[in-house]
Every structure is written in structure tokens, then in C-alpha cells.
């Protein structure tokens, strides 16, 4: 019989191998799903893991998907390391897009390219403002940040719907719920002609280095991590839990808002009801698969963006539902949670019915003497 036996200490090897093992399990279950759906599993795996890497255009689209995931996951990693559970990055992403879109619509035909900077700053501030609501309610009223941040996602979506159906609706948009198309001067500059990848990718890679330095090379980052891993020790050392709460949530909200601003002024070019596509929720998986480490998050963001592109290709080429993307994301998360058990436990084989141990000799001789 297989049993879990507690380890005397956490396994560093399994901590590294667990995401790889989870990916292997996800792929294996994916093969079974393709077979059950009557599709060639090799063709299905090719769509998810080969097609997104085949050409320069494919790599460009991969970067477009990976950029918001990477930015949002970096902010979430700071929150989770600080033991602050921000589940509402999707709402902060939407508010960042709204704030950035509002600035973009102020542009006029003679406006210069300089306006891209205020657009992105507005996105950051929009995300921070939405996260500040969570921080305020947690700080002043001890409200649960999980519920508050999650519920604010739906409030943000309602705000977006009100704007695109109401005051920001394009009068020349044939009654569709959308804003005007942003002027070319407001669009985020692209890195290559003919490809959609833009400077957001460079900003995301710079953010990786900045967050690594913040978490592992600064006193403020050390305070955040101690507060999350050992609250009692943090209080004894005099670290401020309030400062950690606000810092973590504002950083996380700002990164989600920046991702929203880049999305609105980049690939979308306007605000529509389709701004929220689930990046904020998928980034939670990205953060944990990347082990809450900035470098690991880069690779997990690439993997998750492959799932997004693979789901779209599976719909168009294999006739499968686009929801297959969510299936793979969920499989990866649950596989990771299961494999993480091996960090604290090892699997041992023990016989189902172990032979009874013989009675001690001393006890038997005493019983004979009493008889």
C-alpha cells in the first residue's frame, strides 16, 4: 500500500521538479482528452506546444499574450510572498485599461507620441486605485481581501459596461458597445514592423529584473517576505504589517493596471466589453507555477500563453471548443497542487497487513511466574 510519509525537511529537489512533473501530468491527461474527443493526440499537442513557436509571427503573438500575464504575475508574487491574497487582479487590469483608455481618448490629431507615457501612467494609477480599495477595507475594517478583491472584479466589469454603453460609446460605431478607435499617436510602439509585439515586452523584462532586486536585494523586500512567512517574527522585529499590506497591494495593482493599459493602447486599440479575458485569474496560476520567483514566472508566463494560443488554434483547426484553454489551465493548477504534496511528504510502500510483532520475552516469563 502506498502511503505518504512526512519528510524531516522540505525537499528542494521536488520544489524544482514539481512544476515539471505537473506539466507532464497535464500533457498526459490532455492526450486522454484528445482521444476521448476523437482527435489525433499528436496533432492536438502540436497545436498547443509546437505551433506557437513555429515562426516569427507565432513568437510575436506568444509575446503579446505572455506580456500581461508576466506583469500581473510579478505583482501577485509580491502579494503572495507577503501573505496578502489578492485574487482581484482581473479587476485592477480592467481599471487600468479604463484609465489608460480615458487618457487615450483625449488625444487630438496633432498630438505627439509623448502621450503614450501618460496613457501608461494612467493605467498604473488606475490599477493602484482599485487595489487601494482592498487595502483600505482590510486595513481599517479587517475585511477579507480575498472576497473584497474578487467582488471588485465584477464591479470593474460593470463600470466598463456602463462606459462603453453610455458616455464613452462611439457615436459612429454602428451601436456596438465600444469606444472610438484610439488615434495612431496613442498606440504603444511596436518592436518590429508587421508584428504585434510592442514595447510592453521590454517593460515586462525590465520589471522582472526590478522585482528580483526588490525581493531579494532590498531591506523592504526582506520585510515583506518575513511578514508573510513569519508574522510573529516580523512583529518582534518591529516590521509594519500595515506598510507591508499597502506596499504589496499597490505594487500588485499597479502592475495589473500597467498590463491593462498596454492591452488597451496596444493590441485592442479601443475599449470594448472584451477587455477582461481572464489574464488576472490566469496570472495566479502563472505566479505559483513560477514558484513566486521573477525568473520562474517568465517561463510559466510563456507556458500559459501557449495554452491561450493553443486553445484558439484548436478551435479553428480541430473544431474543439475554445474553453479547452481553461481546461488545460485548470489541469496544470490542480496537478501542481497535487505534486507540491511531495515537497513535504515522500511516498512509501508499506504492506497492507503487516505481521504482528512477537511479545517481548521478559513479559512472557513474568506471566509464567505469576501462573
Amino acid at each position: 500500500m502506498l502511503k505518504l510519509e512526512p519528510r524531516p525537511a522540505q525537499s528542494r529537489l521536488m520544489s524544482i521538479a514539481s512544476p515539471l512533473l505537473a506539466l507532464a501530468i497535464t500533457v498526459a491527461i490532455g492526450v486522454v482528452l484528445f482521444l476521448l474527443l476523437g482527435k489525433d493526440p499528436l496533432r492536438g499537442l502540436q497545436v498547443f506546444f509546437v505551433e506557437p513557436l513555429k515562426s516569427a509571427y507565432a513568437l510575436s503573438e506568444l509575446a503579446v499574450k505572455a506580456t500581461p500575464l508576466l506583469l500581473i504575475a510579478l505583482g501577485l508574487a509580491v502579494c503572495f510572498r507577503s501573505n496578502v491574497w489578492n485574487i482581484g487582479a482581473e479587476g485592477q487590469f480592467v481599471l487600468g485599461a479604463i484609465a489608460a483608455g480615458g487618457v487615450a481618448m483625449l488625444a487630438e490629431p496633432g498630438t505627439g507620441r509623448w502621450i503614450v507615457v501618460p496613457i501608461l501612467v494612467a493605467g498604473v494609477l488606475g490599477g493602484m486605485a482599485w487595489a487601494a480599495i482592498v487595502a483600505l477595507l482590510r486595513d481599517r475594517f479587517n475585511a477579507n481581501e480575498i472576497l473584497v478583491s474578487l467582488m471588485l472584479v465584477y464591479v470593474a466589469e460593470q463600470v466598463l459596461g456602463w462606459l462603453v454603453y453610455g458616455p464613452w460609446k462611439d457615436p459612429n460605431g454602428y451601436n456596438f458597445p465600444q469606444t472610438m478607435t484610439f488615434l495612431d499617436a496613442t498606440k504603444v510602439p511596436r518592436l518590429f514592423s508587421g508584428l504585434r509585439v510592442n514595447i510592453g515586452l521590454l517593460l515586462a523584462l525590465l520589471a522582472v529584473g526590478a522585482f528580483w532586486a526588490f525581493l531579494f536585494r532590498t531591506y523592504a523586500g526582506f520585510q515583506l517576505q518575513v511578514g508573510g512567512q513569519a508574522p510573529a517574527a516580523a512583529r518582534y522585529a518591529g516590521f509594519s504589517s500595515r506598510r507591508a499590506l499597502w506596499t504589496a497591494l499597490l505594487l500588485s495593482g499597479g502592475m495589473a493596471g500597467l498590463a491593462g493599459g498596454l492591452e488597451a493602447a496596444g493590441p485592442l486599440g479601443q475599449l470594448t466589453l472584451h477587455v477582461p479575458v481572464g489574464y488576472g485569474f490566469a496570472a495566479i496560476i502563472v505566479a505559483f507555477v513560477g514558484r513566486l520567483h521573477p525568473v520562474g514566472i517568465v517561463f510559466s508566463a510563456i507556458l500559459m500563453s501557449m495554452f491561450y494560443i493553443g486553445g484558439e488554434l484548436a478551435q479553428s483547426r480541430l473544431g474543439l471548443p475554445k474553453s479547452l484553454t481553461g481546461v488545460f489551465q485548470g489541469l496544470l493548477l490542480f496537478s501542481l497542487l497535487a505534486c507540491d504534496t511531495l515537497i513535504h511528504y515522500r511516498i512509501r510502500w508499506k504492506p497492507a497487513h503487516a505481521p504482528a510483532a512477537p511479545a517481548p520475552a521478559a513479559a512472557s516469563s513474568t506471566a509464567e511466574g505469576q501462573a
Side-chain angles (χ1 to χ4, degrees), residues 33-207:
L33 285 177
F34 286 126
L35 289 174
L36 293 176
L37 293 171
K39 304 297 181 181
D40 181 5
L42 294 180
R43 176 59 177 158
L45 294 178
Q46 181 185 6
V47 164
F48 272 89
F49 298 104
V50 178
E51 294 291 338
L53 306 173
K54 283 184 64 174
S55 64
Y57 177 80
L59 291 173
S60 169
E61 293 301 303
L62 191 70
V64 169
K65 297 288 187 184
T67 296
L69 291 171
L70 177 55
L71 289 169
I72 300 172
L74 286 173
L76 291 178
V78 173
C79 272
F80 297 154
R81 281 181 173 270
S82 307
N83 202 27
V84 177
W85 297 96
N86 177 19
I87 309 299
E90 181 78 357
Q92 295 143 30
F93 173 86
V94 172
L95 256 292
I98 290 174
V103 175
M105 287 188 293
L106 297 176
E108 298 178 350
T111 303
R113 297 288 285 168
W114 57 266
I115 198 172
V116 172
V117 175
I119 288 172
L120 297 184
V121 171
V124 172
L125 294 178
M128 292 177 70
W130 211 242
I133 299 174
V134 182
L136 178 64
L137 293 177
R138 165 69 186 274
D139 184 25
R140 295 296 299 274
F141 304 104
N142 199 30
N144 187 298
E145 73 271 19
I146 297 176
L147 295 177
V148 173
S149 61
L150 182 60
M151 293 300 102
L152 283 175
V153 173
Y154 305 103
V155 176
E157 292 177 352
Q158 293 300 317
V159 171
L160 174 65
W162 172 70
L163 289 172
V164 298
Y165 273 109
W168 287 3
K169 186 176 182 179
D170 183 8
N172 299 319
Y174 301 100
N175 207 35
F176 285 102
Q178 62 189 26
T179 65
M180 58 174 284
T181 302
F182 302 151
L183 299 180
D184 290 340
T186 67
K187 303 291 182 64
V188 178
R190 297 184 179 185
L191 294 179
F192 306 101
S193 177
L195 301 177
R196 294 203 305 163
V197 61
N198 55 47
I199 62 170
L201 177 62
L202 300 181
L203 294 177
L205 295 178
L206 288 174

Side-chain angles (χ1 to χ4, degrees), residues 66-370:
T67 296
L69 291 171
L70 177 55
L71 289 169
I72 300 172
L74 286 173
L76 291 178
V78 173
C79 272
F80 297 154
R81 281 181 173 270
S82 307
N83 202 27
V84 177
W85 297 96
N86 177 19
I87 309 299
E90 181 78 357
Q92 295 143 30
F93 173 86
V94 172
L95 256 292
I98 290 174
V103 175
M105 287 188 293
L106 297 176
E108 298 178 350
T111 303
R113 297 288 285 168
W114 57 266
I115 198 172
V116 172
V117 175
I119 288 172
L120 297 184
V121 171
V124 172
L125 294 178
M128 292 177 70
W130 211 242
I133 299 174
V134 182
L136 178 64
L137 293 177
R138 165 69 186 274
D139 184 25
R140 295 296 299 274
F141 304 104
N142 199 30
N144 187 298
E145 73 271 19
I146 297 176
L147 295 177
V148 173
S149 61
L150 182 60
M151 293 300 102
L152 283 175
V153 173
Y154 305 103
V155 176
E157 292 177 352
Q158 293 300 317
V159 171
L160 174 65
W162 172 70
L163 289 172
V164 298
Y165 273 109
W168 287 3
K169 186 176 182 179
D170 183 8
N172 299 319
Y174 301 100
N175 207 35
F176 285 102
Q178 62 189 26
T179 65
M180 58 174 284
T181 302
F182 302 151
L183 299 180
D184 290 340
T186 67
K187 303 291 182 64
V188 178
R190 297 184 179 185
L191 294 179
F192 306 101
S193 177
L195 301 177
R196 294 203 305 163
V197 61
N198 55 47
I199 62 170
L201 177 62
L202 300 181
L203 294 177
L205 295 178
L206 288 174
V208 170
F211 272 75
W212 177 86
F214 172 73
L215 286 172
F216 305 113
R217 290 296 183 271
T218 66
Y219 185 61
F222 173 74
Q223 285 182 315
L224 286 176
Q225 296 189 74
V226 171
Q229 297 174 7
R235 288 193 297 269
Y236 181 78
F239 296 163
S240 172
S241 59
R242 292 185 64 193
R243 182 184 302 171
L245 171 70
W246 280 92
T247 301
L249 280 171
L250 290 180
L251 275 176
S252 180
M255 296 302 289
L258 175 59
L262 287 168
E263 192 74 7
L268 294 179
Q270 62 180 165
L271 295 180
T272 71
L273 293 176
H274 302 293
V275 169
V277 291
Y279 285 145
F281 296 118
I284 298 173
I285 305 176
V286 171
F288 279 106
V289 172
R291 283 290 176 258
L292 304 183
H293 192 286
V295 177
I297 287 173
V298 174
F299 296 100
S300 58
I302 294 172
L303 175 64
M304 193 62 64
S305 60
M306 291 172 70
F307 286 168
Y308 270 106
I309 295 175
E312 295 172 357
L313 294 176
Q315 182 183 26
S316 61
R317 300 186 182 182
L318 301 180
L320 295 174
K322 191 178 178 181
S323 58
L324 198 62
T325 298
V327 172
F328 272 93
Q329 291 177 356
L331 285 174
L332 181 62
L333 177 60
F334 283 109
S335 300
L336 180 67
L337 294 175
C339 293
D340 277 356
T341 305
L342 300 178
I343 298 175
H344 304 279
Y345 296 87
R346 60 166 61 96
I347 300 176
R348 293 294 192 190
W349 171 262
K350 292 185 178 180
H353 301 287
S364 59
S365 60
T366 301
E368 291 175 1
Q370 290 177 351

